[in-house]
Amino acid sequence: MSSQGNRGKGLGLGLAIGSAIAFGGSGVAAKPLIEAGLDPLHVVWLRVAGAALVMLPLAVRHRALVRRRPALLAGFGLLGVAGVQAFYFAALSRIPVGVALLVEYLAPALVLGWVRFVQRRPVTRAAAFGVVLAVGGLACVVEVWAGLSFDALGLLLALGAAGCQVGYFVLSDQGSDSADGAPDPLGVIAYGLLVGAAVLTVVARPWAMDWSVLAHSAVMDGTRVPAWALLAWIVLIATVVAYVTGVVSVRRLSPQIAGVVACLEAVIATVLAWVLLGEHLSAPQIVGGAVVLLGAFIAQSSAPAKSSGEPVTGGSPERQLAARGTAA
């Protein structure tokens, strides 16, 4: 039994790392498409609509969720899919990939603000320390001493992505104790993608898209790559494979380990952007990014079980799954 458990955890860790790599590559593949002439919202719509089409069989299989958890499905679609990705991809058009994702990773820390000041529940000292670390690290990432090096609007868009993550965390927390049991995460993802695609269709107006961009190539740091290949990566690998492997990995790992691996996504995205897009970060920004990830991890992993009655941070396993799935 012990050897089987170790193999299961080993498989879960491998899947989690693969999921982090897949999620981390979304921004690197999307930015050349945006620079080639596609609007960020159109790239988001292509990603979400394509993934929703692939996941449609799962939606049919879990169609009872529409009746059981309509609010959860709507929340995941509006915030966890449409909101996070639209804000994140819009931020990519103005600031580097690594910076956008690091700002988005403030979400686990921002949850504490909701828990402490809106829900008026106590939080642990370790979680509060994690927030302080994350904010301090963000100050290094954006180089506040240089008068806000990055585009202010791009930074606000990245913070919008973090805010959408917080909204979904809160929504899933409200439905996690219901009597009819937790919904199948694969079904939630499938319907979330469908809801997100429907919302983005109205907002992005894909009929006005310059579809000819997909028939040509995009430039990745001087190298020309077929635009359709980048889109295929975003839909199949950075969305479908990333979500599914993330779900399976979280089921096999503890919340603490899953949180550590989730933080790898920002590191992977930064490294890929450095290698493939030539987006170099300064030494203080690299140090600040590491501090952001450390603070976010401490904030999201220092919550005891709800039943303990101890101070909380809002970092339940269900929400950690959401964090893996909504980051870019």
Side-chain angles (χ1 to χ4, degrees), residues 4 61 99 112 120 139 149 160 173 180-181 197 204 234 237 304 324-325:
Q4 290 180 352
R61 178 180 178 183
V99 174
L112 260 71
R120 299 188 180 279
S149 300
D173 183 37
D180 57 350
I234 293 172
I237 306 299
R324 281 297 291 118

Side-chain angles (χ1 to χ4, degrees), residues 12 41 59 62 100 108 125 127 131 133 166 173 178 182 184 191 223 290 293:
L41 274 178
H62 296 285
R125 289 182 179 179
V131 173
L133 277 181
V166 172
D173 183 37
S178 61
D184 190 306
Y191 275 102
T223 302
L293 297 179

Side-chain angles (χ1 to χ4, degrees), residues 115-258:
V115 171
R116 180 65 183 87
F117 298 109
V118 178
Q119 296 183 337
R120 299 188 180 279
R121 298 162 65 188
V123 299
T124 64
R125 289 182 179 179
F129 177 66
V131 173
V132 173
L133 277 181
V135 173
L138 178 60
C140 293
V141 170
V142 301
E143 294 184 333
V144 292
W145 57 86
L148 196 61
S149 300
F150 293 110
D151 184 280
L153 178 57
L155 215 54
L156 288 174
L157 290 169
L159 284 171
C164 285
Q165 279 205 38
V166 172
Y168 179 67
F169 295 162
V170 172
L171 177 65
S172 65
D173 183 37
Q174 292 175 349
S176 60
D177 296 326
S178 61
D180 57 350
D184 190 306
L186 289 176
V188 174
I189 290 170
Y191 275 102
L193 288 168
L194 287 172
V195 172
V199 172
L200 288 169
T201 297
V202 176
V203 176
R205 301 172 61 202
W207 51 86
M209 185 190 314
D210 184 4
W211 292 89
S212 64
V213 172
L214 299 177
H216 298 90
S217 58
V219 179
M220 297 184 70
D221 196 24
T223 302
R224 303 198 73 84
V225 181
W228 64 264
L230 294 174
L231 179 60
W233 174 274
I234 293 172
V235 171
L236 298 177
I237 306 299
T239 307
V240 175
V241 172
Y243 272 113
V244 173
T245 54
V247 167
V248 176
S249 69
V250 170
R251 286 185 171 184
R252 293 175 177 269
L253 300 174
S254 68
Q256 290 77 13
I257 295 176

Side-chain angles (χ1 to χ4, degrees), residues 41 46 70 76 87 90 101-102 111 132 158 169 176 178 186 212 233 242 265 290 297 306-307:
L41 274 178
L46 288 168
F76 189 93
F87 277 114
L101 194 55
L102 288 169
V111 171
V132 173
F169 295 162
S176 60
S178 61
L186 289 176
S212 64
W233 174 274
E265 181 188 335
F297 170 65
K306 286 186 178 182
S307 60

